[in-house]
């Protein structure tokens, strides 16, 4: 009963390097999201997906790309990392609709530092 | 522009006291208001949620109070315990086609002192 699994948990990148953050969920959720969390800024939506093969931009999409080739996986890519992308990244998933009993299931986060 | 404004940024409460966190929103189309709780090193987890057709929802020691006319909602934690020490986020969403993406507040770091 893993829920949402994010890999890696920690990463240090040099400016200009690229990397992919992996998110996998085993709850058969249709919707998946990538957020970044910064001090004093809360959680800001980067990209999201409402189903396999679909993606859409969120609040802060610049510098990131995503792919949802399989329903259970949502990948976040940084093509050329910048220090401003130093953050904690959270993946989440949910069912369609917004029933009160449901909500987002979050992973435990990836702490990324760009030097 | 912050669509959901949360205060205070941090809060210290004595054990057994009442913790109150406030949020305000501008978009009257928002129709779903959840609160999330986050412990250090973990992802946020849904705590309690409300729709604007009710003014209050209670689950155990946690209560959401909702004021539609003022466009404000708050989280009350009764009999606060050290185990409640965490960061709390309010959020809001509105139906937009197939999406239900949440807009989060900036978070409140709660410390309950024994």
């Amino acid at each position: 009963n893993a829920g949402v699994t994010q890999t890696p948990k920690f990463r240090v990148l040099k400016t200009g390097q690229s990397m992919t953050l992996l998110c996998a969920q085993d709850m058969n959720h249709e919707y998946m999201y990538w957020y970044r969390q910064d001090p004093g800024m809360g959680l800001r939506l980067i990209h999201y997906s409402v189903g396999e093969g679909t993606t859409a931009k969120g609040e802060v999409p610049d510098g990131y790309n995503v792919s949802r080739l399989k329903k259970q996986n949502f990948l976040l890519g940084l093509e050329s990392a910048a220090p401003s992308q130093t953050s904690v990244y959270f993946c989440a998933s949910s069912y369609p609709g917004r029933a009160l009993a449901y909500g987002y299931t979050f992973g435990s986060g990836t702490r990324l530092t760009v030097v | 522009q912050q669509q959901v404004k949360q205060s205070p940024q941090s809060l210290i409460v004595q054990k057994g006291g009442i913790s109150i966190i406030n949020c305000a929103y501008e978009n009257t189309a928002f129709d779903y208001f959840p609160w999330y709780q986050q412990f250090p090193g973990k992802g946020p987890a849904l705590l309690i949620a409300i729709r604007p057709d009710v003014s209050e929802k209670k689950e155990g020691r946690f209560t959401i109070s909702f004021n539609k006319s003022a466009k404000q909602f708050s989280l009350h934690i009764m009999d606060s315990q050290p185990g409640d020490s965490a960061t709390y986020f309010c959020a809001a969403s509105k139906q937009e086609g197939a999406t239900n993406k949440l807009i989060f507040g900036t978070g409140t770091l709660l410390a309950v002192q024994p």
Side-chain angles (χ1 to χ4, degrees):
Chain A
N1 194 15
V4 176
T5 302
Q6 291 184 234
T7 54
K9 295 189 183 303
F10 303 93
R11 184 73 185 268
V12 177
L13 282 181
K14 294 182 179 179
T15 298
Q17 286 185 321
S18 64
M19 79 163 293
T20 300
L21 281 67
L22 311 180
C23 178
Q25 54 98 1
D26 62 0
M27 297 167 288
N28 202 34
H29 284 168
E30 285 293 332
Y31 293 3
M32 296 187 75
Y33 318 83
W34 277 106
Y35 282 85
R36 59 178 290 173
Q37 183 176 17
D38 303 289
M41 303 289 285
L43 292 150
R44 292 181 294 168
L45 182 64
I46 305 171
H47 286 280
Y48 64 98
S49 168
V50 298
E52 180 178 320
T54 72
T55 63
K57 294 180 180 180
E59 184 185 359
V60 288
D62 294 343
Y64 305 95
N65 57 78
V66 289
S67 64
R68 183 108 181 260
L69 299 180
K70 293 183 178 181
K71 184 177 181 179
Q72 63 268 33
N73 298 331
F74 195 28
L75 309 181
L76 178 70
L78 285 73
E79 293 183 344
S80 179
S84 62
Q85 293 178 304
T86 293
S87 186
V88 181
Y89 292 86
F90 286 99
C91 175
S93 67
S94 74
Y95 290 110
R98 295 158 304 141
L100 289 182
Y102 301 139
Y104 287 13
T105 300
F106 281 87
S108 57
T110 295
R111 183 173 294 276
L112 175 66
T113 302
V114 182
V115 298
Chain B
Q1 182 181 5
Q2 190 69 35
Q3 296 192 51
V4 179
K5 295 183 179 180
Q6 184 172 347
S7 63
Q9 191 171 20
S10 62
L11 181 62
I12 300 174
V13 174
Q14 296 297 314
K15 179 182 176 181
I18 302 173
S19 303
I20 301 175
I21 304 170
N22 301 301
C23 283
Y25 63 97
E26 290 295 326
N27 192 336
T28 56
F30 286 147
D31 63 354
Y32 172 66
F33 302 90
W35 284 88
Y36 280 76
Q37 180 187 53
Q38 183 183 29
F39 293 106
K42 303 293 185 183
L46 178 65
L47 185 62
I48 186 172
I50 197 170
R51 294 205 187 278
D53 53 348
V54 297
S55 60
E56 185 175 284
K57 182 175 182 182
K58 184 177 181 180
E59 289 185 1
R61 295 185 294 109
F62 300 90
T63 300
I64 299 178
S65 297
F66 190 87
N67 186 329
K68 189 174 182 178
S69 61
K71 291 185 287 185
Q72 295 175 347
F73 59 109
S74 59
L75 176 70
H76 295 235
I77 306 174
M78 310 299 289
D79 187 26
S80 298
Q81 299 296 313
D84 297 329
S85 298
T87 300
Y88 293 82
F89 292 95
C90 62
S93 76
K94 58 183 171 74
Q95 191 69 44
E96 287 184 289
T99 66
N100 62 345
K101 54 185 185 290
L102 288 173
I103 307 298
F104 286 87
T106 52
T108 296
L109 179 61
L110 171 65
V112 181
Q113 294 185 336

